[in-house]
Amino acid sequence: MTEHRKHPARSGSAAWAVAITSVAGFVTALDNLIVTTALPSIRKDLGGGLEDLEWTVSAYTLTFAVLLMFGASLGDRFGRRRMFALGLAIFTTASAGAALAPGMAELIAARAAQGVGAAIVTPLTLTLLSAAVPAERRGAAFGIWGAASGIAVATGPLIGGTLTEHLSWQWIFWVNVPIGLALIPLALLRLDESHGPHPSLDLPGTVLASGGLFGIVYALVRGNADGWTSTPVLGGFFAGAALLIGFVLYELRAKHPMLPMRLFRHRSFSAINAASLLMFLGMFGSIFLLSQYLQTVGGYSPMEAGVRMLPWTAMPMIAGPLAGVLSDRIGGAPVVTVGMALNAVGLGLWALAVDAQVSYTSLLPALIVCGIGMGMFFAPSANLVMSTVRPEEQGIASGANNAIREVGGAIGVASLAAVFSSQGGYGAPSMFVDGLRPALWVGAGAVALAAALALMMPRQRNAGGPVSEEAAAGAPAGV
């Protein structure tokens, strides 16, 4: 059970906690996709190639993913309010660093630092919210928090495109600075401090997971440039695989593991997490390329591209609640399976429709299908994760699922970009399409495989009902 401070809560602390954590969740979720519509402008301004653009996205998602559960542990040990403020300070400082970056190397480093800050902030938002809000009002509070993060994901490409077009791409990062500077003193003044029941830090596990995933992503990013049989690329694959194996072996024996391997003994837990990784691999990698396609080939401005992506990114706001109701009636597994199948169909429709001379109306059906499929995935998949573990394990299970999703996104950007660069490039619209089409088919195949894995889950109604405090505390927002 979560440990809280014994003194009375500050007057109005629940309302302040909802406001502070919702805004913090909004800005950290926003930075997953806000950069996508700014990528062509960043490439034009700072130079660099496809690999640099990949790292501009993946540096954030990768550090966010591998440090997500570690960030929650830091809060348990050193104080959640204190670490929340520190995470905000890191995120805000790194955002300013990204805006001031004179080159791609500095921008990528700043994005990685943003991911570190977000990995501390995000899991603590719901923990702090749980501690401040009475149990009978917690569902509404979580709903507000979730809506803020959902709006950030839905509007990320549009906000990024609007700021890039009317100001400059640097403003997609500057916008975080005043928000962060306002939230830090508010958090310290208006939130109560609390600590967790297990204040241990899994440093070896964090190092092994971080090193292993970096090796894999590095090899995928450098494969076309250095050659897939070159020493750096093969070394990245082998070293990454070895470190990840070492991570699994260590976690099996650790007293307080970052990711308890016993959770994966449950068939449904293993299946939904594998499906989530593949789903984000195909979805995130495709968004990375499609946002550039709309500008590079379609000729749309950054803001126009963001508006035209809304049928995909905003559709989950409509389809999500309906999917939640449907999953309560027939169980989450069928809904998730259909959702991922629709995503695979949508990406396939994209691959069939893309052309050097294409109209937006011919792309619209693919956008809508992908948006409906994504909306059918999120809420039911989270409920499935919760229903496969014991109540006391729901927090770590949710954190693990979100980390696995982010890892899938980072691998998706690297792998689909590798397919793109092996078959095409930025030289001409026809070259871009030549690379994009096979990359989309790979993304569609990954999501179709995710749907097949979902079929392994037992067909039963979701257990559990309302999400517990422990579950909510470990359920940060993904893309």
Side-chain angles (χ1 to χ4, degrees):
M1 188 63 109
T2 305
E3 176 187 320
H4 305 298
R5 290 179 66 89
K6 303 302 182 185
H7 61 70
R10 293 175 173 84
S11 176
S13 62
W16 277 110
V18 171
I20 292 167
T21 58
S22 295
V23 174
F26 177 88
V27 294
T28 54
L30 187 68
D31 270 61
N32 271 296
L33 290 180
I34 194 173
V35 73
T36 54
T37 42
L39 291 172
S41 298
I42 292 173
R43 183 169 67 91
K44 182 179 179 181
D45 194 9
L46 298 184
L50 180 65
E51 298 166 17
D52 299 302
L53 297 182
E54 291 175 63
W55 282 116
T56 302
V57 176
S58 296
Y60 182 83
T61 56
L62 197 58
T63 52
F64 183 46
V66 298
L67 297 176
L68 196 58
M69 288 178 284
F70 187 70
S73 298
L74 286 173
D76 286 349
R77 178 165 183 172
F78 297 110
R80 291 161 178 162
R81 182 185 64 183
R82 181 183 296 115
M83 295 310 301
F84 179 75
L86 177 61
L88 282 172
I90 294 171
F91 181 81
T92 304
T93 303
S95 296
L100 295 169
M104 290 300 296
E106 294 83 0
L107 176 60
I108 292 167
R111 285 286 286 166
Q114 274 190 306
V116 173
I120 299 173
V121 169
T122 304
L124 297 180
T125 55
L126 282 176
T127 314
L128 289 164
L129 196 57
S130 298
V133 178
E136 65 273 13
R137 294 163 53 196
R138 209 167 283 153
F142 292 158
I144 295 171
W145 179 92
S149 297
I151 292 171
V153 172
T155 60
L158 176 59
I159 293 173
T162 302
L163 291 172
T164 300
E165 183 174 340
H166 294 290
L167 296 171
S168 69
W169 64 262
Q170 285 88 348
W171 278 93
I172 67 175
F173 302 116
W174 279 127
V175 72
N176 296 328
V177 175
I179 297 174
L181 291 177
L183 286 179
I184 292 169
L186 284 174
L188 294 173
L189 291 171
R190 296 292 181 177
L191 298 179
D192 291 316
E193 186 62 281
S194 65
H195 295 75
H198 301 296
S200 58
L201 298 177
D202 186 3
L203 286 172
T206 302
V207 171
L208 288 169
S210 302
L213 291 169
F214 177 81
I216 298 294
V217 173
Y218 172 85
L220 287 169
V221 170
R222 295 296 305 172
N224 284 311
D226 294 346
W228 292 98
T229 58
S230 65
T231 300
V233 172
L234 290 178
F237 279 126
F238 286 126
L243 288 171
L244 289 178
I245 292 171
F247 168 73
V248 172
L249 295 175
Y250 176 81
E251 295 295 287
L252 285 169
R253 302 173 60 184
K255 185 176 181 181
H256 296 293
M258 181 174 72
L259 179 57
M261 291 295 141
R262 67 179 181 277
L263 299 178
F264 292 93
R265 295 172 186 164
H266 196 295
R267 190 180 72 178
S268 290
F269 184 83
S270 297
I272 190 59
N273 278 286
S276 295
L277 186 144
L278 289 167
M279 169 73 176
F280 271 65
L281 188 157
M283 181 189 70
F284 211 84
S286 298
I287 290 176
F288 169 76
L289 292 171
L290 290 170
S291 62
Q292 298 180 69
Y293 167 77
L294 289 172
Q295 297 176 66
T296 304
V297 179
Y300 296 108
S301 70
M303 186 179 74
E304 290 171 340
V307 170
R308 282 160 177 78
M309 290 179 70
L310 283 176
W312 185 350
T313 58
M315 186 61 71
M317 301 288 290
I318 301 171
L322 298 176
V325 173
L326 186 61
S327 66
D328 286 339
R329 291 178 176 274
I330 65 173
V335 179
V336 166
T337 304
V338 172
M340 289 188 290
L342 285 174
N343 265 281
V345 170
L347 291 177
L349 291 174
W350 263 100
L352 292 171
V354 291
D355 191 81
Q357 303 290 333
V358 67
S359 66
Y360 176 71
T361 53
S362 65
L363 304 175
L364 194 55
L367 283 167
I368 295 173
V369 171
C370 283
I372 294 172
M374 199 159 69
M376 293 181 69
F377 168 80
F378 282 125
S381 68
N383 205 4
L384 281 169
V385 170
M386 297 302 182
S387 67
T388 60
V389 297
R390 297 191 296 267
E392 65 271 18
E393 295 175 329
Q394 286 182 329
I396 192 67
S398 178
N401 180 253
N402 280 277
I404 288 169
R405 291 181 183 185
E406 294 289 334
V407 168
I411 295 174
V413 169
S415 56
L416 267 64
V419 175
F420 168 84
S421 61
S422 69
Q423 302 294 320
Y426 291 101
S430 59
M431 287 181 62
F432 196 101
V433 170
D434 288 342
L436 176 60
R437 190 174 290 117
L440 287 174
W441 282 120
V442 171
V447 181
L449 180 57
L453 286 173
L455 291 172
M456 298 171 56
M457 292 183 288
R459 290 298 183 270
Q460 59 185 27
R461 287 183 187 223
N462 294 325
V467 178
S468 69
E469 175 184 332
E470 289 81 1
V479 177

